[in-house]
Every structure is written in structure tokens, then in C-alpha cells.
Amino acid sequence: MIDREPQTLDVLDDAGRKLLFTEARTANTFADVAVTDDELSVIWEHARWSPSAANSQPLRVLFVRTDEGKERLVRHLDEGNRAKTLQAPAVAVLAYDVDFHEQMPAVFPARGEMLRAAFADQDEKRRMLASYNSALQTGVFLLAVRAAGLAAGPMAGFDRIGVDKEFFAGSGWRSHLVVNIGHPGADPWFPRLPRVPVEDAVAWA
């Protein structure tokens, strides 16, 4: 039996913990500072390493940057989300791909063909798996925005069917979250709200 030393992983320093977690906030206004293609590419490069069941990676992203694209998007947003989305330098429409199984031979070579065939006729199971795993990936996506030195403003208030018809017609993509991205603007934060007490949220066994 080979005696192997346990692997020691690096620990995020205090500055990193503040950036990603304890001092991170949801932005409601954004500065008139462009978000570059390189910055958006870095966000995706970090987010795409998130975990997902069988490495299925169903999360898909549409980056909306042009005035025309934003006008097409905001007509499907709730009224209270429109002005800040028009102000944001970039917007990410996060979606899941119900046809993720077509990628399985590439992302899980050992079992890919088997998984693709197994999911081929299971539309509802694929939708459920894609929805859950893209939500898991979405949390990492928001951390990737913060890691890039930018603020995120995630919003669920929008007409998903309308967005899907507007941008994803003819594809397997289904929208589930809209995220404004940019540098914080004037008075960007609402007051910090309390967290659930530890004793009500954590159990030990």
C-alpha cells in the first residue's frame, strides 16, 4: 500500500474572502465605465470550472452590451429592473441548455455516448437536471464577476418565455436569471440586511 501525504490546499486570504463573500454586495447602480470583452471573457473562463453533475455544464450565457440588445431585453423585464439594466455597461442573460446531453461525449469521454443516448428521450428529466445544475453554476458565475473586480446585480424579475423567444428561438436555451455587470455607481448599495442566525441554519450530527 502506497503511503501518500495528504494534499494541502491553499487558503483564500482575508482580502479574497472580503471581495468574494463578507463585503460583497448586489449593485443597483453602475458607473459609466465600460466593461471590456476581455473582462467578460475572464468571468466566463473562471465560471466554467464550476461543478455540475456528470460534468454536464448546462449553463449558457448571453452577454448583452449594445444599446439595441438592451432595448430588446428590457421590454421583457419587470418595470423596476429596466432603468438599472439600461444603465449597466454589460448584462448577462444566464440560461440552461435542455439539450446539454449532446455535449456529453465531449465533456465526459468515458461515458459520454452512453449518457447522450440515455437522456435522448427524457425531455423532462433533462430540463430538471439542466435547471438544477445551471443554478449551481450560476453561484460560481456571480463569484467570478466579483473576482474580476466588478459588481453583479442579479435579477429574477422578467418574462422568461419572452426572453427565450427574443433571443433563444430555435435553440435549447432557457433563461433563468439576468445579471447586470459593471463598476458600482452612485449610492449603489442598499443597507446590508441581516443573515439567518447560525443556530437556525446550521446543524451538526
Side-chain angles (χ1 to χ4, degrees), residues 151-193:
M155 304 175 299
F158 66 96
D159 175 8
R160 287 159 176 73
I161 294 175
V163 168
D164 293 348
K165 288 181 178 178
E166 185 75 41
F167 293 101
F168 305 141
S171 78
W173 293 23
R174 304 291 183 267
S175 58
H176 75 98
L177 195 70
V178 173
V179 184
N180 293 329
I181 300 173
H183 296 275
D187 193 22
W189 322 118
F190 292 148
R192 170 73 85 181
L193 295 173

Side-chain angles (χ1 to χ4, degrees), residues 4-9:
R4 292 190 176 93
E5 291 292 328
Q7 184 176 358
T8 301
L9 301 178

Side-chain angles (χ1 to χ4, degrees), residues 29-122:
T29 67
F30 295 90
D32 187 19
V33 177
V35 173
T36 67
D37 289 358
D38 285 346
E39 287 175 308
L40 296 176
S41 295
V42 166
I43 290 169
W44 177 247
E45 178 58 31
H46 290 157
R48 73 191 188 99
W49 298 102
S50 60
S52 57
N55 200 35
S56 53
Q57 305 172 53
L59 183 67
R60 305 290 183 263
V61 183
L62 167 68
F63 286 119
V64 182
R65 300 163 303 157
T66 65
D67 291 341
E68 177 188 5
K70 289 179 190 176
E71 290 290 349
R72 291 173 59 197
L73 176 61
V74 297
R75 69 183 66 155
H76 303 290
L77 303 185
D78 291 356
E79 183 68 35
N81 291 332
R82 294 176 182 175
K84 55 188 174 184
T85 299
L86 288 172
Q87 182 196 42
V91 187
V93 179
L94 303 188
Y96 57 85
D97 187 357
V98 296
D99 295 326
F100 69 88
H101 65 300
E102 297 293 351
Q103 295 282 348
M104 293 309 299
V107 300
F108 201 149
R111 299 183 184 177
E113 292 294 349
M114 178 197 71
L115 289 167
R116 179 164 65 179
F119 283 125
D121 297 322
Q122 299 191 49

